[in-house]
Amino acid sequence: MRTHRFPAVATATALALTGGLVALTAGTANAAPAKYADDFNGDGYRDYASGWGGEVTVTYGTATGPGPKTVRFTQDSPNIPGKAGDAGGYADTFGDQVANADLNRDGYADLAVADRTEKVGTKTGAGAVTILWGARTGLGAKATRIPAKSGTAFGAALAAGDFNGDGKPDLAVTDVAGTLFVYRGGFSTTGTTGGVSRLEVSPSGAHVLEPSAIVAGKVTKDNATDLYVVGQGYENDKMVQAAWFVQGGSTVKRGKYTTYNASQVDFSATGVIADFDKNGYGDLAVSDKPYNKGAGSVVVLRGGASGPTTSYRLTQSTSGVATAATRNDGFGYALSAGDTNRDGYPDLAVGVPEEESGPVPNAGGVHVLRGGRSGLTGTGSQWFTRATAGVPGSPTDSEMLGLFVRLRDFDRDGDADLLVSGDLYHKGVLLRGTASGITTSHAAETALDPNFPQ
């Protein structure tokens, strides 16, 4: 069901990006690090980078919202290393994984782009990670590869964060075998990095994990970013779904391996870290789409002083959730966290792309589950489809609204707004957050792709 909607040139809207001016002048020598990890041109407004199948699309923000400037990159673009489609018979995966941070701390955010199928030298499928460096003019003037520490599908998963807590952004990269490499800052435009830590999920071989994503965020209470590697694993010769916790710190530590589905696998599992119960520890919400014959679910691993503790599961059968759990709904296909109603608790947007809308199959929709003292529940949850009053358009067969969702405070009013899209033939929908939650008032269609980093 892997479908992606490449955005056309972004249309201007009346919504302002989360922004405000950064405390520097773009281009100034010895500039302070970028205020926002996705402000690629240093103008003080957050930008959007997403990719898939050999292309990366960047839409630049303005004071009045997503602007008209949209740029696409492939490996055939000027200054980009490699060759588009050069994957030795495999589909080009340049852009399937992206991460952003001001990696060289020059006041401009940079974009790391993974391509696990890249042919390097004579080796097919060696993989590569390329950094597109930010500048006053945005991305594209210069790009370099980081030194690969693995020669087998390097770049299978990718994330940015300050994993050792020294104030400099780092990069976490896996290969297809699940080996994790943490590249410490600083990074330079010549391709050099700080030291590299290598971790195996289980040096004894008791566990094997084939990653689909790295989820970065604050789980414990120190200053370092923690991470989970999520994907499909093997236990006793059986495939399972699992999440491997890695604790950040001056020494990055191998943590708990949690199996959350021991009978089915998901090759595109995704997740997000947020403190849904505000106890000071970040929780992992991770998709389990095969659950209950494909009806789907979201598993939440509660955070603690040394990583994951207890867990709970949310489905469309959870009390208060609007729709019923039926076969192959895909509840959990896309996840995003943000506070949609200004109560201080992060909420969770959950895409359900194969849900019916009345008689229309695979029309799709999105739930917004509320965070609170007990964590995420169905109480007060919201449900949106094309049939919801005020949402533009009408339900369409196989649009699969909810393939991609993102919560972000676009209009800078203190609550997260909801951006949701489906297949490549339809524009997405942007819904505003308010003090009482997401509203359809002033809802608008937009070509902005929600598949940018959290």
Side-chain angles (χ1 to χ4, degrees):
M1 196 177 69
R2 186 65 181 268
T3 309
H4 192 86
R5 181 180 59 82
F6 287 117
V9 173
T11 55
T13 71
L15 297 175
L17 291 176
T18 301
L21 295 178
V22 293
L24 57 94
T25 300
T28 300
N30 301 315
K35 181 177 180 179
Y36 298 114
D38 47 12
D39 180 8
F40 303 119
N41 58 1
D43 64 356
Y45 303 107
R46 300 184 72 176
D47 305 316
Y48 304 89
S50 61
W52 184 72
E55 289 189 6
V56 172
T57 300
V58 181
T59 298
Y60 289 92
T62 71
T64 57
K69 183 181 178 182
T70 294
V71 182
R72 290 181 182 168
F73 301 98
T74 73
Q75 288 178 292
D76 287 340
S77 299
N79 306 316
I80 307 296
K83 181 180 178 182
D86 188 12
Y90 298 96
D92 192 341
T93 60
F94 179 78
D96 280 16
Q97 300 268 347
V98 297
N100 42 237
D102 185 359
L103 294 169
N104 61 347
R105 295 164 59 83
D106 66 349
Y108 303 101
D110 311 302
L111 184 70
V113 182
D115 182 359
R116 67 183 183 277
T117 61
E118 179 72 0
K119 183 179 180 180
V120 179
T122 60
K123 185 168 183 179
T124 298
V129 173
T130 301
I131 299 175
L132 280 63
W133 299 102
R136 181 190 290 270
T137 55
L139 299 175
K142 186 176 181 62
T144 52
R145 286 181 176 171
I146 64 173
K149 298 297 182 180
S150 170
T152 306
F154 181 71
L158 178 68
D162 182 9
F163 300 113
N164 65 348
D166 67 352
K168 300 176 184 178
D170 312 310
L171 280 178
V173 187
T174 68
D175 60 16
V176 73
T179 304
L180 175 69
F181 306 91
V182 178
Y183 288 73
R184 292 187 289 278
F187 294 79
S188 77
T189 57
T190 63
T192 61
T193 75
V196 182
S197 298
R198 174 186 174 127
L199 291 89
E200 303 283 351
V201 61
S202 178
S204 67
H207 300 296
V208 177
L209 184 65
E210 182 179 341
S212 63
I214 299 173
V215 186
K218 294 291 185 68
V219 176
T220 62
K221 291 184 177 180
D222 60 20
N223 292 326
T225 306
D226 307 303
L227 60 87
Y228 283 92
V229 181
V230 300
Q232 53 282 345
Y234 297 86
E235 294 179 3
N236 301 319
D237 297 323
K238 293 183 179 180
M239 294 187 72
V240 299
Q241 291 182 64
W244 169 32
F245 176 70
V246 177
Q247 185 171 353
S250 56
T251 300
V252 181
K253 298 178 182 179
R254 182 185 300 107
K256 186 177 180 181
Y257 179 93
T258 302
T259 298
Y260 58 91
N261 189 323
S263 61
Q264 297 168 303
V265 296
D266 180 359
F267 290 92
S268 59
T270 189
V272 62
I273 293 172
D275 186 5
F276 296 112
D277 54 8
K278 283 183 63 179
N279 69 349
Y281 299 104
D283 312 309
L284 172 71
V286 60
S287 61
D288 182 6
K289 301 189 293 293
Y291 179 79
N292 189 21
K293 299 180 180 179
S297 71
V298 175
V299 177
V300 180
L301 304 183
R302 295 183 178 92
S306 58
T309 57
T310 59
S311 66
Y312 58 98
R313 188 182 296 270
L314 298 155
T315 73
Q316 291 183 105
S317 297
T318 298
S319 177
V321 176
T323 54
T326 55
R327 187 181 185 119
N328 294 328
D329 284 340
F331 179 86
Y333 191 92
L335 302 173
S336 186
D339 182 4
T340 64
N341 59 348
R342 306 180 202 173
D343 66 354
Y345 291 94
D347 307 309
L348 185 71
V350 182
V352 196
E354 295 186 272
E355 178 69 40
E356 294 180 352
S357 182
V360 182
N362 300 324
V366 57
H367 290 279
V368 179
L369 307 181
R370 296 280 180 85
R373 292 181 62 184
S374 300
L376 292 169
T377 69
T379 303
S381 68
Q382 296 180 278
W383 169 241
F384 299 97
T385 73
R386 291 282 190 180
T388 303
V391 175
S394 57
T396 303
D397 188 348
S398 299
E399 178 185 356
M400 296 189 288
L401 191 71
L403 273 177
F404 303 101
V405 301
R406 193 60 78 232
L407 290 173
R408 180 172 287 185
D409 185 6
F410 293 93
D411 53 10
R412 294 179 290 171
D413 65 350
D415 44 52
D417 309 302
L418 173 63
L419 179 64
V420 55
S421 74
D423 65 23
L424 58 86
Y425 302 107
H426 299 82
K427 288 184 176 182
V429 176
L430 186 54
L431 307 176
R432 291 178 181 266
T434 68
S436 58
I438 300 295
T439 178
T440 59
S441 178
H442 305 293
E445 288 192 311
T446 174
L448 184 64
D449 189 343
N451 199 31
F452 47 84
Q454 292 280 345

